[in-house]
Amino acid sequence: MTDVAVAATPPPDQPPQAPPPSAATTPNPLLNGPILPTLLRLAWPNVIALTAGTCVVIAETAYIGRLGTEALAAMALVFPFVILTMTMSGGAMGGGAAAAIARALGADDTERAAALAGHALLIGIGFGLLFTALMLLFGRPLLQLLGGRGEVLRQALDYVAVFFGGGVVPWLMNTLSAVLRGTGNMKLPSFMVLTAAVLQIVLGGILGLGLGPVPQFGMKGVAAGTLIAFSSAAAVMAWYIVSGRARITLRLAGLRLQRRMFVDILKVGAVSCFSPLQSVLTIVIFTHMLAAFGDAVLAGYGIGARLEFMLTSLAFAVGVASVPMVGMAIGAGRVQRARRIAWTAGAVSFTVVGLFGVAIAVFPDLWVDLFTDDPRVTTAAHHYLRAAAPMYAFIGLALSLYFSSQGAAKVLGPVLAQTARLLFVALGGAWLIAAGGGAQAFFLLAAASMAVLGVLAALSVALSRWGARGQPV
């Protein structure tokens, strides 16, 4: 347990110190600086860290490809659950924690911000244990439901046993990162993600493929390398916060649990969790539908889905940077500024992700040739990318607005936009199955669903009211 450190009372023989200046008078670029330059300044460390994450995606998929087509198909089965863990811990519940801390700091309440950080850690540990229990108990039937059979299923279960056996680790890492992001510190968590990415590539490759005296552990080794890397990053960030070097300070003594603190985080974080949950459920349904077309199509889609993850992580970098800016603006009562931040972040994400998506749609070999030379897998990946990659821009827009809405504690609209996408894929997929549609028809369905998501997310933000009553919208 942890206890929040509070300012010490001055000794009786010393005159009382003047109270610290309020947030309104203290220079704070997140509250008073120009929006676009400040947003980009906060986003660039995230971009660098997520570029390292891109290297992980490329390297991991490349050496899993060396394990064979079955291993690639196994990773495609497991990928939705790994993404659910990372997005729910980092983007959803982590976003709720970062937003709550930012709003407290925007109102110049550092004691509350520190208390929120302690409660966020407890929430992260609890959810990590829950993920471990669910995946170890129900991993096999879930993977079978997705179409996993034979050697593909065995390798997928190998990965699940190790990665989700340590399911608390990614939750701890992402929660600690969210605490720092909520204070406006993007550099340290980004540096630790960068460090973890390098370790993940090295350790995952060595343990997965084997090197020298190290035997080849296959998918178990890939998962173990990830957990070791994440544990190292979490340990450094925990030390930084507990040692008093962050803007808020925690002490390992005994935290007084407060319902209002949990509510402040969960009113955003719990609702936000439905977004990655629905996103992963969309991928699960889509993966199940594609499994009927064989391992080659499934593996080709998996290669394309990894590109989607890589490109939308750029939107993640911008969106996460907007959370403390929007949160502090809302906490300070500056609602109009908060809205301008959200739309600026959305425009940046849409443009950047869209440009990369169009480039890969035109030249898919730039991506596909990194992972496979199987002509069947290559053909499937080309078809998917040409249909879906240009639409990644809409996912980037939706993701950025989702994070900005967390800062404003108004995340329901973007979550419902994700619900609409899920229903669109489920109903459209059912119709295509009944009509005997081929794999290409399903790829077009996926592309259309991305546009649905982006448009509805933008509408939800435009129509929702931010801030308390009486504040200008």
Side-chain angles (χ1 to χ4, degrees):
M1 292 288 189
T2 59
D3 191 21
V4 179
V6 297
T9 304
D13 58 342
Q14 294 183 9
Q17 297 178 350
S22 67
T25 60
T26 302
N28 185 345
L30 274 68
L31 275 175
N32 304 306
I35 290 174
L36 182 59
T38 303
L39 180 70
L40 295 179
R41 178 177 61 81
L42 292 177
W44 76 259
N46 297 329
V47 172
I48 293 176
L50 291 167
T51 299
T54 300
C55 294
V56 171
V57 170
I58 295 172
E60 190 175 74
T61 307
Y63 54 66
I64 288 175
R66 291 181 62 183
L67 293 173
T69 300
E70 291 84 1
L72 275 175
M75 197 64 209
L77 289 176
V78 173
F79 193 62
F81 303 104
V82 175
I83 290 301
L84 179 62
T85 301
M86 300 306 294
T87 55
M88 193 175 283
S89 60
M93 196 62 71
I101 291 168
R103 289 192 298 273
L105 292 175
D108 201 24
D109 192 344
T110 55
E111 182 176 346
R112 178 181 178 84
L116 286 165
H119 287 71
L121 287 175
L122 295 179
I123 292 172
I125 292 170
F127 271 85
L129 293 173
L130 178 62
F131 266 63
T132 293
L134 290 176
M135 288 305 297
L136 294 184
L137 288 173
F138 304 109
R140 178 180 289 272
L142 285 172
L143 294 172
Q144 288 175 328
L145 183 64
L146 291 182
R149 299 290 185 272
E151 181 63 16
V152 172
L153 176 62
R154 186 192 68 77
Q155 294 197 42
L157 288 173
D158 283 347
Y159 189 97
V160 165
V162 175
F163 183 84
F164 288 100
V168 172
V169 172
W171 274 88
L172 276 177
M173 182 188 73
N174 283 328
T175 301
L176 292 165
S177 178
V179 168
L180 291 170
R181 292 199 313 265
T183 69
N185 183 347
M186 300 289 168
K187 291 183 179 179
L188 179 62
S190 296
F191 176 74
M192 294 319 303
V193 169
L194 175 63
T195 303
V198 173
L199 286 174
Q200 186 179 350
I201 291 172
V202 174
L203 295 176
I206 291 174
L207 295 174
L209 298 176
L211 179 67
V214 179
Q216 178 176 300
F217 291 102
M219 297 294 281
K220 288 183 178 180
V222 175
T226 300
L227 286 185
I228 295 171
F230 287 179
S231 298
S232 302
V236 173
M237 287 187 287
W239 165 80
Y240 185 85
I241 296 172
V242 171
S243 67
R245 288 168 171 79
R247 188 173 177 181
I248 55 179
T249 304
L250 299 174
R251 291 178 183 166
L252 300 176
L255 177 67
R256 183 169 64 89
L257 300 182
Q258 301 177 60
R259 180 178 178 274
R260 62 193 180 96
M261 300 294 176
F262 286 118
V263 170
D264 200 10
I265 296 170
L266 293 173
K267 71 180 182 182
V268 173
V271 175
S272 296
C273 282
F274 284 98
S275 182
L277 183 62
Q278 292 178 127
S279 179
V280 169
L281 185 56
T282 301
I283 296 173
V284 166
I285 292 173
F286 198 70
T287 302
H288 176 70
M289 293 173 179
L290 288 181
F293 296 99
D295 289 349
V297 170
L298 188 61
Y301 166 68
I303 291 172
R306 287 215 157 201
L307 176 67
E308 177 183 333
F309 169 70
M310 182 201 79
L311 291 182
T312 54
S313 65
L314 296 174
F316 181 99
V318 176
V320 164
S322 76
V323 171
M325 292 181 68
V326 172
M328 289 185 188
I330 292 292
R334 301 180 61 181
V335 181
Q336 292 181 347
R337 176 178 172 86
R339 283 193 170 277
R340 289 197 299 271
I341 293 167
W343 289 119
T344 301
V348 171
S349 297
F350 182 88
T351 302
V352 173
V353 174
L355 288 175
F356 278 105
V358 169
I360 294 297
V362 176
F363 305 106
D365 286 333
L366 293 175
W367 179 254
V368 178
D369 286 354
L370 295 172
F371 310 116
T372 184
D373 56 4
D374 185 323
R376 298 175 305 143
V377 177
T378 298
T379 299
H382 281 189
H383 287 164
Y384 177 76
L385 289 172
R386 286 180 176 133
M391 298 294 105
Y392 290 165
F394 289 96
I395 295 184
L397 172 65
L399 184 60
S400 183
L401 292 176
Y402 160 77
F403 280 114
S404 296
S405 298
Q406 286 182 333
K410 297 291 184 180
V411 78
L412 182 60
V415 170
L416 291 178
Q418 190 65 255
T419 304
R421 183 196 183 195
L422 172 62
L423 293 174
F424 184 85
V425 169
L427 296 176
W431 182 80
L432 286 176
I433 291 173
Q440 183 63 25
F442 283 91
F443 294 160
L444 292 172
L445 173 68
S449 74
M450 297 172 192
V452 169
L453 173 63
V455 170
L456 292 181
L459 284 175
S460 73
V461 171
L463 298 176
S464 64
R465 180 181 183 85
W466 284 12
R469 291 186 177 181
Q471 289 180 331
V473 178

